[in-house]
Amino acid sequence: MLDRFPRVPVSAPYGAAVRLSRVLLSPWARFALLILLLAGAGAAVLAWQPQHLLAHGLPRTSGTMAVVLFALAYGVCTVAFVPRPLLNAAAGALYGIHAGLPAAIAGTVLGAGLAFLLGRLLGRDAVRPFLRGRIALSLDRQLSRHGFRSTLALRLFPGVPFAAANYAAAVSRIRLLPFLTATAAGSAANTAAYVVAGSRAASPTSPVFLLALGFLGVTGVAAAMVARRTRSARAADPDSAEPSDSSETVAGAVTSPDRTSPPAESA
């Protein structure tokens, strides 16, 4: 009975297509695609210089559509490594504080979300098995266990590069919604200072402009002090066990100490 329906052998082209699809969907192939996309974005920024278009090419209008387009362009530019301070200042110069600040924050959240999704879909599976070192493991543990709080700390700390925080979060186990919410909340103060400075750039002696610059200077000095104190603490205790979920990392430097696992966990 079964002999009447012999098995049809799988054709060689079909098998080759399956193997090719597996190779193309492998973690390292996706990671290579991510590197190509980021390299292409960086090259496009160097060649096209979209920051100049944002600063000078858009019409000076407070229309809703212009603000929305600026926010979209802002988000894409952050993925392409355009510095956020320049974009924030451009938002203030073009649309003032009332429209420029929402556009800058929306663009910040959009850029963080795009980078997070790119890193999570294309790079996480390839990079995560190679996490090594005290700082990398501690930061990953902070983001995975205390996603909102740790992301909020990274955004409040002005010395942490925006793109680095995005891709570090993508490699961790943090969920997208807490990451975006903490990004909006933590980036608001620093973004507002740049937007205000940009809106008053034509009058650099005005009290508002000087206050914005003073705020940026104070936060920069505070960040440098925290980083120096953290390095001094590590240098004073080089043989300490694996760092706990505390202020030894950039995120933990702002959050409170929280030991959730003993140092001898790996023993």
Side-chain angles (χ1 to χ4, degrees):
M1 186 73 180
L2 295 177
D3 294 336
R4 297 180 181 178
F5 303 97
R7 294 182 179 181
V8 178
V10 178
S11 61
Y14 178 79
V18 171
R19 290 192 295 271
L20 179 60
S21 64
R22 290 176 180 175
V23 171
L24 293 177
L25 295 177
S26 65
W28 284 106
R30 285 181 281 137
F31 182 69
L33 177 60
L34 175 62
I35 297 299
L36 289 175
L37 289 175
L38 296 180
V45 167
L46 293 177
W48 184 41
Q49 296 184 341
Q51 63 271 24
H52 295 310
L53 176 63
L54 289 175
H56 305 291
L58 293 178
R60 289 179 175 270
T61 177
S62 59
T64 303
M65 184 57 65
V67 175
V68 171
L69 291 176
F70 179 90
L72 293 175
Y74 183 117
V76 175
C77 285
T78 58
V79 178
F81 308 108
V82 176
R84 284 185 61 249
L86 189 148
L87 298 174
N88 293 331
L94 289 171
Y95 305 109
I97 300 173
H98 297 291
L101 181 57
I105 294 178
T108 298
V109 175
L110 175 62
L114 291 175
F116 181 92
L117 291 176
L118 285 174
R120 178 64 59 89
L121 296 176
L122 299 179
R124 178 185 176 185
D125 293 339
V127 173
R128 188 165 182 82
F130 294 92
L131 286 179
R132 297 291 186 273
R134 298 171 57 193
I135 297 179
L137 292 175
S138 183
L139 179 60
D140 174 70
R141 185 165 56 250
Q142 281 279 355
L143 288 169
S144 298
R145 296 179 181 177
H146 313 288
F148 178 87
R149 187 181 69 185
S150 298
T151 303
L152 183 65
L154 288 173
R155 298 310 187 191
L156 289 172
F157 196 85
V160 179
F162 183 71
N166 294 336
Y167 292 111
V171 174
S172 72
R173 295 186 176 89
I174 185 177
R175 293 172 301 186
L176 178 61
L177 183 58
F179 171 74
L180 295 180
T181 306
T183 295
S187 302
N190 191 265
T191 300
Y194 279 105
V195 171
V196 171
S199 67
R200 297 293 189 272
S203 54
T205 59
S206 64
V208 176
F209 181 83
L210 296 177
L211 183 62
L213 289 186
F215 175 82
L216 294 173
V218 169
T219 56
V221 171
M225 292 176 62
V226 171
R228 182 176 179 180
R229 182 178 178 182
T230 303
R231 287 194 299 267
S232 300
R234 291 200 189 99
D237 191 12
D239 298 327
S240 61
E242 179 179 310
S244 62
D245 296 336
S246 64
S247 60
E248 290 182 316
T249 60
V250 173
V254 184
T255 58
S256 59
D258 180 17
R259 287 185 178 268
T260 57
S261 60
E265 181 182 359
S266 61

